Amino acid sequence: MRVANETVVSIDYTLKDERGNVLDTSEGVGPMEYLHGAKNIIPGLEQGIEGLTAGETKSVVVPPALGYGEYNEKLIQRVPLDRFGENKVEVGMRFHAETNIGMRVLVIRHVDEKEVVLDGNHELAGKTLYFDIKVVTVRPAELTEVAHGHPHQAGGCCGGGGGGGCGCSDQESSSEGCCSTEESSQKKDGGCGQGGCGCSH
Ligand code: ZN
């Protein structure tokens, strides 16, 4: 069958930047499974995979607007160093913080004696992404998968200590609270990237 909305697809992929540096790959960790049409993955990649069948390979080029968005200067903040108190502050450290556009992952870009420069952009924001993908399997989604907006593995949603394909607890899975749409959209920004759930891997 072909990849379409309400199919569960697993792909092998390698993601490179414009210079050919490998940014991410499924090699060594196994194929990534997602629910097509449920915004589990970035729009440009989803569009590129649409209509393929198992075994097909494709190179998909994703511009920033269909990937992780354009780089936004407004997401750069300068914060006095003393605001961090006793906390360790080093370039490259990342943490979650409330900002004027909601919860973001912030990365420390620069530190000097007086201030810390924080960047709330996704690390792939502003980048054109070069994917080489191979469709491994395509199957119809179960009704519960469509309802939850993510694929399940054997054992159902969130079953078997996280082996259900998402990181939500069993408690949450009994209601709509499991991997809700709201959480899924946060996940997209937070860079979870896998499983289609709201967890932060
Ligand atoms: Zn689920």
Side-chain angles (χ1 to χ4, degrees):
M1 70 184 299
R2 291 187 181 278
V3 175
N5 287 351
E6 304 191 357
T7 58
V8 171
V9 186
S10 68
I11 57 166
D12 276 324
Y13 68 95
T14 298
L15 167 60
K16 293 177 184 166
D17 64 15
E18 71 284 351
R19 291 179 187 168
N21 299 311
V22 175
L23 302 175
D24 192 13
T25 178
S26 63
E27 207 177 306
V29 292
M32 174 183 73
E33 194 173 50
Y34 76 97
L35 174 62
H36 196 84
K39 298 190 168 70
N40 289 178
I41 60 174
I42 54 173
L45 184 57
E46 197 163 59
Q47 286 168 21
I49 296 170
E50 176 110 12
L52 298 180
T53 56
E56 282 192 271
T57 58
K58 190 173 176 182
S59 295
V60 181
V61 180
V62 179
L66 294 176
Y68 293 92
E70 301 291 347
Y71 193 83
N72 183 353
E73 293 289 341
K74 288 181 182 156
L75 293 176
I76 303 287
Q77 296 177 54
R78 295 172 181 278
V79 177
L81 182 58
D82 55 25
R83 286 261 296 276
F84 287 82
E86 298 292 301
N87 293 309
K88 200 169 151 193
V89 181
E90 273 175 10
V91 171
M93 282 174 66
R94 49 187 71 224
F95 53 91
H96 291 265
E98 192 64 44
T99 70
N100 49 14
I101 58 161
M103 206 61 167
R104 302 287 298 190
V105 176
L106 302 178
V107 181
I108 297 177
R109 289 281 177 229
H110 181 80
V111 183
D112 62 29
E113 310 85 64
K114 285 182 184 169
E115 64 177 14
V116 177
V117 178
L118 301 173
D119 187 348
N121 284 287
H122 189 281
E123 60 185 323
L124 297 177
K127 293 200 163 129
T128 299
L129 307 172
Y130 296 81
F131 287 94
D132 287 312
I133 60 125
K134 179 181 183 186
V135 177
V136 180
T137 60
V138 186
R139 65 169 170 83
E142 305 282 342
L143 286 176
T144 51
E145 291 176 314
V146 174
H148 289 179
H150 59 221
H152 294 157
Q153 289 165 15
C157 178
C158 318
C166 72
C168 330
S169 72
D170 288 318
Q171 254 180 338
E172 287 170 325
S173 71
S174 57
S175 72
E176 283 185 17
C178 173
C179 320
S180 70
T181 329
E182 197 182 308
E183 282 178 316
S184 298
S185 61
Q186 279 183 6
K187 175 266 310 174
K188 207 179 125 196
D189 287 331
C192 169
Q194 293 209 15
C197 66
C199 52
S200 50
H201 290 297

